Amino acid sequence: MQFNRREFMKGAGAGVAGLALSQLGLDLEPVKAYAGSLKIDGAKDIVTVCPFCSVSCNIIASVKDGRLVSTEGDPDYPINQGALCAKGASMLSMTRSNHRVAHPLYRAPGSAQWEEKSWEWMFERISRRVKETRDKDFIPKNAKGQTVNRLESMFFIGTSHADNEECAAIVQMSRGLGLVHIDHQART
Amino acid sequence: MTNHWIDIKNADAVLIMGSNAAEHHPISFKWVLKAKDNGATVIHVDPKFSRTSARSDIHVPLRSGTDIAFLGGMIKYILDNGKYFREYVAEYTNAAHIVNRDFDFKDGLFSGFDAKGRRYDTKSWTFEMDGAGIPKRDKTLKDPRCVFQLMKKHYSRYTLENVSAVTGVSRENLLKVYEAYGATGVPDKAGTMMYALGWTQHTVGVQNIRAAAIIQLLLGNIGIPGGGINALRGEPNVQGSTDHALLYHILPGYHGVPLADWPTLADYNKANTPVTKDPASANWWQNRPKYVTSLLKGWYGEKAAKENDFCYGLLPKAEKGVDYSYMFLFDRMYQGKIRGGFIFGLNPMNSLANTVKSRASMDRLDWVVVSDLHHTETTDHWRRPDIIPADNKTEYFFLPSAHRIEKEGTVSNSGRWLIWHHKAIEPAGEARTFGYMVVGMMKALREKYRKEGGALPEALLFQDWPETFVAEDWTKRINGFFLADTTFGGKAYKKGQLVPTFGALAADGSTSSLNWLYTNSFTEEDGNKSKRRDPKQTPMQEKIGLYPNWAWAWPVNRRIIYNRASVDPAGKSWNPQKALISWQDGKWVGDVPDGPWPPMASSGGKNPFIMQPQGFGQIFGPGRLDGPFPEHYEPVETPLTAHPFSRQLSSPVYKSVSSDLDPLAKPGDPAYPIVLTTYSLTEHWCGGGETRNVPALLEAEPGLYVEMSHELAKEKGIKNGDEVIVENVRGKVKAVAMVTVRIRPFTVQGKTVHLVGMPFCFGWSTPKSRGAANRLTPSVADPNTTIFELKACQVNLRKSDKTGGTA
Amino acid sequence: MSKVVFVDTSRCTACRGCQVACKEWHELPANDTRQTGSHQNPPDLNPYNYKVVRFSEHLDGDTVRWYFFPDQCRHCEEPPCKMEADEHVKGAVVRDGKTGAVIFTPKSKKLSAAAFEKVRKFCPYNVPRRNPDTGAMVKCSMCNERVVRGMPPACVKVCPTGTMNFGERTDMLALAKKRLQELKAKHPKARLVDPDSVNVIYLLIDEPARYYEYAAVPEGGPLGRQQFLAWLFSPLKKSVDTVARG
């Protein structure tokens, strides 16, 4: 969803009129010199949701040429009304963090380093390990002879970071594999 | 939350307990302060004085782990002083129900206790039925066997003396809170309770919340604006991830996991579908078979048919009584019984209890797939400081995940609002969404099963999976489809069209839905309602801050659940100034009511608590494993050896695991006399794996500290800023001393008890931030939820002598 | 007339949204901080933090008080930093007469180290800092580039609790006086800090010194150039250094 600048400015505090540069009176010099252009000028505004606590504050991401230039609270959203806390306010530097992992990584048993791999390689190798484990340890019947079709030696834990759609896919996969060891942050 | 974030502003009293809302849900304070501006009393009951306390009218420090004593005292105060809302209690709760004659409570134990098995047989925790099979009631509340009288007897021991002696709260402070909060037990006042992990992370976690629920029912505070039991919830989409059941014990939509004892869908439905003989009870869960069949149709599509039991047989069946949660998973891992698995967006090597053990356990995996934004204590476990990588034989796959701002989809906030977030930018580098990973892995795996066969390939191959992950397609799958041409509500729907509401879901295989709670969120008529941004309100809705056209809330856009309890039996609001629903001219106006039926007193009316089989609020709660009334028990590790409520020191049924890495300090152990409580803080999130990688946040909170009183610091010769070692039977951690007036010594049973607090968000993967506080916490848990007791254990501390091994 | 930031500390929860939002808007790098036994981090204003939330705690009898003070430039009506800087490099400090924002300009790079020290010491609130990399003086600019477009400063926009408020001077003064009136009953020591001489007006519920050494000009009251100089060099002051910490 996109917003125009006028809507964005609705976040202005009481009594602030939407002044244009030309309306400014005397002492224009410093304004011209030190309030020239804004980094969000010409940016596209996109609504996202803060990724931390479950108040789920809405955030407007300003994007220019595919690059995030600024984030601020969404003034229209009735819960946070433009406000954010320290975590919510840090979205820009969060996405620019140089600690982000940008490639699939593989670490062989006993190795002292990560190696970059392609997604295809990862899916191929992971599915091989999953299949080996599942085929070996699958329990069709329990000690009482009841059909149980479960796999106890494999687990899936996580995550409340996933969207609802992703959660639905994760649980479908987990139960399809026969997993019973399933858990995530809801239990902490 | 029964209510929602904005609704906090409608409260006349706000009790924040088991939560540090201003620090962990900072935006909630926008609404807490609005309530305060309107005259509400804001009360914070918590071991330490925090940023929440600073903005509250009253802060009461209590010793961690004594909430039930504190709340039990409030129940007694409300009963003794007639502060309860009599009509609400008699009409809408089970206070009037007559309890089974065999039910009893003696010296800390309820009837049916099996000491050897450490469990209860709950068959006496039931109600007496009349000839028609309807619970017997005495609405005068005088029958000595009615819930009300049994409750009165139970809490008669919770005197100010006893409560004060155990909690460390002065009598004056107890009364101050009881009076302020008890004042909301009148029709035109509302009190809200805000809680979080401070209540859940105890061996009596569920009973902490039960005690709160009893108070809220006594005061008539459930179902009304400004009231409710409000779990603030910790994580970004934890409401949604719980609804969608990333949990061992349930399937999406709160259906119990299938057990080995239920081989067919009919067996499952019989065991899980409650019945009532009371025509006034809606007994909503009678609809469960419709929701479960629709879920199976969602998972197995065309392959699920009546003839094959809708593929129910392919689902894994758990063993009755076996717990598959974290605590037992890591214990089995430690025993070498677990080969591999997936850890997505989670940092258990830092955030779970007893990380000394969980770390040793993870070393024993053959392979693990981890997915995260950054390197964390979990993703890089194989190269943690105290091991040599060559010794770690686990194969690691690290799938870099996309940030929320880099993908689209829905999340559910604590107030159950379903909110769409748009993709703003492309993921960093080759990072991808969790959905991309799951679909990619399943595609590769299914291909192998198709070609090679293997163990029960149908369980995977019969499932309905798309070629690629498109979020909004799954939003639709969650809502559900008609699978045959159907007429519903006088309207014709074609096969493949979206189901308009869960009332249309069927048990015959003609509908699908991956979660019935979310049916109605995406419809043919209104599209994807999570994208709605319309602030339109009626004047009635505006008065209480209800936004029915902004986003969507489960169930069926109901903003406050159990809202039928906000009106009297004739359908008139208890508080017309803040009416939530109202019966006008033969229909309900305001919020979406809890069911379409007319008011309770009219013909065809229903009891308000529609999710309970009999429709009443549960003051007597027979569904828990540790008793129908909350009872004070000490934490498993406690500075005490006895307490005045009974001879049962700790919960008789708490869960635990045992191994060489699970030692526990004995009660009152003089070697570990100090109570430790753990928590997080505004600037970091949970295990900290994410926020420690955000420079501005790490700048504000760069490393581990231990907060302690001036008195304790003086006793130990510690100055503010000193490095100290905090240790106990399980491990030790180095931290910087934060000596503060915000933690005060407690006087418990006439003796001084010190308490210290540490955040659990720091870990070795962030240089200089020091180690994990969870090296100290024990693997003991609540019997109902298996949530760890992270909020209270015993430690000692000393000035650092440069001893290592505290990562 | 000037714009005013009204800081109602009685509502502050120290969530530090303002501290971080300021860094994010101005894209300031993080300092390498350490935990030293305090939540106040970074410990002080610095070239990369134009805004710092200060924490101070007190025990009065049995009552715990924890005060939060989101510190920043006060944007004085007659800024002493400008008076002093003008003596050295004209235009190093300018004041936007329309908004009241006091701005350090790139010309401040030309200030000698000694001149910068003088400018810094003339600030009664201990605000000016110098970026070691560029040599420019830095501090809060009231987000003037936002303000002239009708947007509130980043720290005001982000605030959840109504601590940070922004608007026309008359409106903000009215709001400040209303809040003061409401708080006086419960907090008799409540006050507005130097409301006539600054455009960032703090409402405190206790003595300024209980928040932070430089929360207020000790004598309070409006400070024109003459009064300021008189105050600065009054015999009661031991030296300039005690006024603005070295």
Side-chain angles (χ1 to χ4, degrees):
Chain A
M1 193 170 292
Q2 294 180 19
F3 287 85
N4 60 33
R5 189 63 48 198
R6 183 186 303 274
E7 281 173 294
F8 187 71
M9 285 189 204
K10 281 202 301 200
V16 179
L19 293 177
L21 275 172
S22 59
Q23 289 174 279
L24 295 166
L26 296 169
D27 213 355
L28 196 57
E29 203 48 39
V31 180
K32 268 190 182 159
Y34 308 111
S37 66
L38 280 192
K39 60 180 178 177
I40 54 173
D41 283 345
K44 205 164 79 177
D45 295 334
I46 297 157
V47 177
T48 183
V49 177
C50 175
F52 294 110
C53 86
S54 37
V55 173
S56 298
C57 296
N58 279 20
I59 291 177
I60 292 181
S62 298
V63 179
K64 230 193 253 182
D65 304 323
R67 187 174 151 79
L68 189 67
V69 292
S70 181
T71 60
E72 289 191 32
D74 174 0
D76 293 327
Y77 185 61
I79 296 177
N80 66 311
Q81 299 177 337
L84 295 170
C85 72
K87 284 196 292 289
S90 71
M91 293 276 285
L92 182 66
S93 54
M94 182 182 302
T95 51
R96 290 183 183 175
S97 165
N98 60 5
H99 303 101
R100 273 294 287 278
V101 177
H103 304 280
L105 299 175
Y106 175 73
R107 183 260 180 182
S111 165
Q113 63 212 2
W114 289 112
E115 304 164 44
E116 283 185 16
K117 296 285 184 189
S118 72
W119 279 102
E120 291 66 33
W121 188 94
M122 296 293 265
F123 288 155
E124 175 57 30
R125 177 83 190 155
I126 292 167
S127 60
R128 179 54 65 199
R129 297 296 330 243
V130 169
K131 187 162 189 299
E132 279 168 10
T133 304
R134 186 172 182 274
D135 288 351
K136 200 166 179 176
D137 295 341
F138 195 77
I139 305 171
K141 286 188 193 303
N142 66 7
K144 282 194 255 175
Q146 294 165 314
T147 299
V148 293
N149 287 337
R150 66 176 180 246
L151 176 59
E152 293 179 358
S153 69
M154 200 192 297
F155 62 89
F156 196 113
I157 54 177
T159 174
S160 62
H161 251 310
D163 290 339
N164 288 316
E165 294 73 18
E166 295 174 319
C167 291
I170 288 170
V171 75
Q172 181 170 324
M173 173 177 97
S174 301
R175 295 298 181 185
L177 286 168
L179 303 190
V180 283
H181 286 111
I182 302 171
D183 217 338
H184 83 293
Q185 285 95 335
R187 209 180 299 281
T188 45
Chain B
M1 279 183 155
T2 54
N3 293 40
H4 60 93
W5 293 108
I6 297 170
D7 181 66
I8 296 167
K9 78 175 178 129
N10 294 315
D12 298 289
V14 180
L15 176 58
I16 305 170
M17 189 166 169
S19 153
N20 178 1
E23 297 198 30
H24 298 217
H25 302 85
I27 306 304
S28 72
F29 255 67
K30 181 185 210 42
W31 302 105
V32 172
L33 291 180
K34 282 234 159 70
K36 202 176 169 196
D37 290 342
N38 296 333
T41 307
V42 180
I43 307 158
H44 189 214
V45 181
D46 197 81
K48 82 171 168 177
F49 189 102
S50 65
R51 297 181 233 186
T52 298
S53 325
R55 291 284 77 86
S56 298
D57 295 295
I58 303 170
H59 169 250
V60 170
L62 108 161
R63 176 170 63 94
S64 188
T66 62
D67 302 68
I68 291 173
F70 185 96
L71 296 170
M74 189 175 333
I75 293 171
K76 179 169 162 53
Y77 171 88
I78 290 166
L79 297 175
D80 289 354
N81 295 283
K83 296 288 184 184
Y84 54 95
F85 185 173
R86 203 177 185 295
E87 192 178 1
Y88 185 105
V89 169
E91 296 291 339
Y92 294 167
T93 78
N94 65 17
H97 288 45
I98 310 298
V99 174
N100 185 328
R101 255 156 237 297
D102 296 332
F103 170 76
D104 200 6
F105 175 79
K106 265 191 211 141
D107 200 17
L109 293 171
F110 296 91
S111 47
F113 184 60
D114 163 15
K116 209 170 137 211
R118 296 188 78 248
R119 57 183 289 279
Y120 280 107
D121 177 342
T122 63
K123 70 171 182 287
S124 65
W125 305 357
T126 52
F127 301 120
E128 286 193 7
M129 299 287 176
D130 66 13
I134 298 170
K136 285 188 196 164
R137 293 167 77 199
D138 171 23
K139 288 208 230 173
T140 69
L141 307 178
K142 285 185 179 143
D143 187 304
R145 294 296 300 171
C146 80
V147 167
F148 188 84
Q149 292 300 332
L150 291 177
M151 164 174 58
K152 208 164 175 179
K153 190 175 155 206
H154 188 88
Y155 292 104
S156 62
R157 296 164 296 139
Y158 288 68
T159 59
L160 292 177
E161 291 73 19
N162 285 346
V163 172
S164 178
V166 164
T167 57
V169 180
S170 69
R171 291 168 58 115
E172 300 73 62
N173 274 343
L174 288 174
L175 278 174
K176 210 190 313 181
V177 177
Y178 295 170
E179 279 165 17
Y181 200 76
T184 63
V186 290
D188 62 348
K189 295 275 186 236
T192 186
M193 291 201 183
M194 297 166 65
Y195 80 91
L197 308 182
W199 269 354
T200 59
Q201 292 177 341
H202 291 280
T203 43
V204 294
V206 168
Q207 297 289 0
N208 283 333
I209 297 146
R210 282 272 308 132
I214 289 173
I215 291 170
Q216 290 297 67
L217 287 170
L218 284 174
L219 298 173
N221 278 336
I222 298 284
I224 65 169
I229 292 279
N230 293 306
L232 305 188
R233 312 227 57 173
E235 299 86 4
N237 185 30
V238 75
Q239 185 61 54
S241 57
T242 306
D243 300 336
H244 291 289
L246 302 184
L247 293 160
Y248 86 86
H249 67 291
I250 48 172
L251 300 181
Y254 301 96
H255 310 299
V257 74
L259 299 181
D261 297 335
W262 307 323
T264 69
L265 183 57
D267 296 324
Y268 176 88
N269 283 336
K270 187 162 178 246
N272 290 284
T273 310
V275 287
T276 177
K277 294 191 173 153
D278 187 348
S281 178
N283 182 27
W284 196 263
W285 282 119
Q286 67 176 297
N287 296 303
R288 194 187 305 275
K290 302 172 191 170
Y291 307 152
V292 173
T293 302
S294 297
L295 172 64
L296 290 168
K297 285 297 292 180
W299 277 345
Y300 295 102
E302 297 282 308
K303 295 285 188 186
K306 199 165 191 298
E307 297 68 43
N308 66 5
D309 223 7
F310 299 108
C311 294
Y312 171 82
L314 298 177
L315 287 182
K317 309 293 182 300
E319 286 304 314
K320 188 180 179 185
V322 176
D323 191 318
Y324 302 93
S325 68
Y326 287 136
M327 186 168 83
F328 290 90
L329 167 64
F330 279 93
D331 188 54
R332 287 173 198 135
M333 211 182 281
Y334 188 59
Q335 296 171 37
K337 290 179 180 169
I338 307 292
R339 225 183 273 275
F342 302 83
I343 306 178
F344 272 35
L346 185 75
N347 191 5
M349 295 303 104
N350 231 46
S351 57
L352 294 191
N354 194 1
T355 54
V356 173
K357 182 183 178 188
S358 55
R359 290 176 184 190
S361 305
M362 192 171 168
D363 284 343
R364 301 190 178 182
L365 291 175
D366 289 349
W367 58 269
V368 64
V369 182
V370 295
S371 180
D372 221 308
L373 297 160
H374 310 281
H375 292 283
T376 71
E377 288 70 28
T378 299
T379 65
D380 288 36
H381 180 66
W382 55 271
R383 59 179 190 93
R384 67 187 187 276
D386 49 352
I387 67 161
I388 300 160
D391 292 342
N392 183 293
K393 304 297 184 198
T394 311
E395 188 174 9
Y396 276 74
F397 302 90
F398 191 137
L399 308 182
S401 60
H403 212 281
R404 188 175 284 172
I405 198 169
E406 299 164 346
K407 64 185 182 187
E408 61 176 12
T410 63
V411 292
S412 305
N413 78 4
S414 307
R416 299 165 285 100
W417 290 25
L418 184 72
I419 309 160
W420 186 266
H421 61 89
H422 298 260
K423 176 177 171 177
I425 47 171
E426 288 301 322
E430 286 187 87
R432 293 291 179 267
T433 67
F434 296 128
Y436 174 90
M437 297 170 199
V438 168
V439 169
M441 289 188 297
M442 281 304 278
K443 201 170 160 186
L445 182 65
R446 276 153 53 96
E447 191 54 35
K448 287 189 171 56
Y449 272 99
R450 208 172 282 130
K451 280 192 189 146
E452 303 165 17
L456 196 69
E458 304 90 306
L460 294 158
L461 296 178
F462 281 13
Q463 283 196 338
D464 180 17
W465 284 95
E467 276 297 297
T468 54
F469 181 81
V470 177
E472 203 160 14
D473 290 349
W474 286 79
T475 325
K476 288 181 184 170
R477 284 176 183 235
I478 291 167
N479 179 83
F481 299 101
F482 285 112
L483 305 175
D485 292 355
T486 310
T487 299
F488 178 79
K491 195 174 163 184
Y493 290 89
K494 291 264 172 243
K495 177 181 174 180
Q497 287 198 304
L498 292 157
V499 172
T501 174
F502 50 61
L505 296 177
D508 62 1
S510 63
T511 56
S512 72
S513 164
L514 291 183
N515 196 328
W516 71 278
L517 283 173
Y518 287 83
T519 307
N520 183 243
S521 64
F522 202 145
T523 64
E524 298 294 336
E525 294 78 9
D526 299 312
N528 184 345
K529 297 187 196 175
S530 69
K531 293 180 179 172
R532 298 192 303 178
R533 291 175 62 89
D534 183 354
K536 197 169 73 213
Q537 302 164 301
T538 64
M540 180 180 173
Q541 292 160 342
E542 191 183 352
K543 239 177 179 176
I544 55 167
L546 207 75
Y547 290 88
N549 301 298
W550 196 287
W552 179 88
W554 73 249
V556 289
N557 207 29
R558 183 170 305 137
R559 302 294 166 136
I560 295 179
I561 57 179
Y562 298 122
N563 55 27
R564 295 175 81 87
S566 72
V567 294
D568 66 17
K572 189 164 168 289
S573 176
W574 296 117
N575 179 7
Q577 289 309 306
K578 289 181 186 168
L580 175 58
I581 60 168
S582 182
W583 183 254
Q584 287 174 14
D585 308 322
K587 64 174 191 231
W588 291 106
V589 294
D591 195 7
V592 177
D594 244 326
W597 315 285
M600 204 169 114
S602 21
S603 139
K606 301 284 184 197
N607 300 333
F609 290 89
I610 64 166
M611 302 313 282
Q612 297 300 332
Q614 309 295 352
F616 294 93
Q618 294 195 316
I619 286 177
F620 185 85
R624 309 282 77 79
L625 299 175
D626 46 355
F629 288 126
E631 170 69 0
H632 171 73
Y633 300 113
E634 284 292 310
V636 172
E637 286 192 342
T638 164
L640 308 188
T641 52
H643 64 75
F645 296 103
S646 75
R647 278 181 296 172
Q648 187 64 42
L649 185 65
S650 294
S651 164
V653 293
Y654 74 82
K655 280 188 180 172
S656 63
V657 287
S658 51
S659 74
D660 60 324
L661 296 184
D662 286 299
L664 293 170
K666 64 177 192 287
D669 192 334
Y672 303 105
I674 302 166
V675 179
L676 168 72
T677 191
T678 61
Y679 37 74
S680 192
L681 62 166
T682 310
E683 294 76 7
H684 290 289
W685 179 72
C686 290
E690 186 167 2
T691 44
R692 280 182 269 129
N693 288 298
V694 180
L697 298 176
L698 188 66
E699 174 191 71
E701 287 290 353
L704 184 64
Y705 53 87
V706 52
E707 292 182 283
M708 68 183 80
S709 69
H710 285 274
E711 291 83 350
L712 177 61
K714 197 173 161 199
E715 237 175 65
K716 299 282 184 185
I718 291 165
K719 285 193 206 60
N720 192 46
D722 280 353
E723 186 174 71
V724 298
I725 290 175
V726 186
E727 60 196 336
N728 67 7
V729 284
R730 288 169 294 278
K732 57 184 168 184
V733 187
K734 278 185 191 171
V736 174
M738 190 181 281
V739 181
T740 173
V741 300
R742 295 175 294 100
I743 289 185
R744 311 286 313 280
F746 291 93
T747 302
V748 178
Q749 298 183 338
K751 291 185 193 143
T752 297
V753 171
H754 289 293
L755 176 143
V756 297
M758 292 169 91
F760 69 94
C761 55
F762 296 104
W764 63 263
S765 75
T766 304
K768 295 187 283 186
S769 86
R770 293 187 170 78
N774 274 323
R775 293 174 76 90
L776 303 167
T777 50
S779 300
V780 296
D782 179 277
N784 300 287
T785 60
T786 332
I787 290 177
F788 294 108
E789 187 152 75
L790 294 167
K791 290 289 185 255
C793 67
Q794 294 297 114
V795 299
N796 209 338
L797 54 85
R798 60 192 156 94
K799 233 173 126 160
S800 174
D801 56 2
K802 310 289 178 213
T803 315
T806 54
Chain C
M1 200 171 19
S2 302
K3 307 286 185 199
V4 158
V5 178
F6 166 51
V7 188
D8 181 352
T9 65
S10 75
R11 304 183 75 85
C12 181
T13 58
C15 75
R16 294 197 266 203
C18 57
Q19 181 175 316
V20 173
C22 175
K23 283 190 92 91
E24 292 278 295
W25 177 255
H26 297 289
E27 300 188 21
L28 299 168
N31 294 280
D32 184 13
T33 55
R34 284 186 316 123
Q35 176 53 262
T36 58
S38 168
H39 285 295
Q40 187 175 312
N41 237 330
D44 199 0
L45 296 172
N46 63 70
Y48 306 128
N49 288 78
Y50 305 159
K51 178 135 194 169
V52 160
V53 178
R54 299 182 186 276
F55 295 69
S56 57
E57 59 181 52
H58 310 277
L59 187 64
D60 297 341
D62 256 350
T63 306
V64 179
R65 302 192 199 282
W66 201 10
Y67 294 144
F68 311 127
F69 187 82
D71 194 14
Q72 65 182 90
C73 171
R74 310 300 197 278
H75 297 280
C76 300
E77 282 283 280
E78 293 190 47
C81 58
K82 183 173 184 308
M83 295 175 207
E84 180 59 25
D86 282 350
E87 306 283 327
H88 306 280
V89 178
K90 200 85 179 151
V93 178
V94 296
R95 183 170 179 278
D96 185 334
K98 192 74 194 172
T99 63
V102 177
I103 297 166
F104 291 173
T105 76
K107 284 185 189 159
S108 65
K109 290 176 194 167
K110 292 186 193 144
L111 286 166
S112 69
F116 164 69
E117 271 308 298
K118 280 188 176 169
V119 173
R120 194 170 69 86
K121 286 178 178 173
F122 262 67
C123 172
Y125 305 104
N126 190 26
V127 167
R129 297 290 185 272
R130 192 166 210 180
N131 185 320
D133 303 327
T134 65
M137 287 204 305
V138 286
K139 68 162 187 72
C140 161
S141 63
M142 207 196 256
C143 287
N144 203 42
E145 70 283 11
R146 293 169 60 102
V147 171
V148 296
R149 284 165 172 78
M151 293 165 67
C155 60
V156 175
K157 169 83 184 294
V158 80
C159 178
T161 57
T163 304
M164 303 295 302
N165 304 274
F166 182 74
E168 296 296 333
R169 188 169 176 86
T170 42
D171 296 340
M172 287 297 105
L173 270 176
L175 175 62
K177 283 174 182 159
K178 178 173 164 278
R179 283 294 296 159
L180 179 64
Q181 211 52 46
E182 289 165 0
L183 288 160
K184 270 280 187 189
K186 209 171 162 195
H187 306 281
K189 289 180 181 170
R191 72 198 59 201
L192 300 174
V193 177
D194 309 333
D196 301 323
S197 54
V198 297
N199 287 315
V200 176
I201 301 171
Y202 287 82
L203 190 165
L204 308 179
I205 57 172
D206 203 344
E207 310 271 359
R210 302 251 283 172
Y211 287 76
Y212 164 52
E213 193 180 356
Y214 299 101
V217 175
E219 277 81 2
L223 285 182
R225 178 179 171 81
Q226 293 309 318
Q227 294 99 312
F228 177 72
L229 291 175
W231 167 76
L232 198 56
F233 299 111
S234 81
L236 292 172
K237 302 283 151 211
K238 288 190 199 117
S239 71
V240 169
D241 287 312
T242 62
V243 179
R245 182 171 46 184

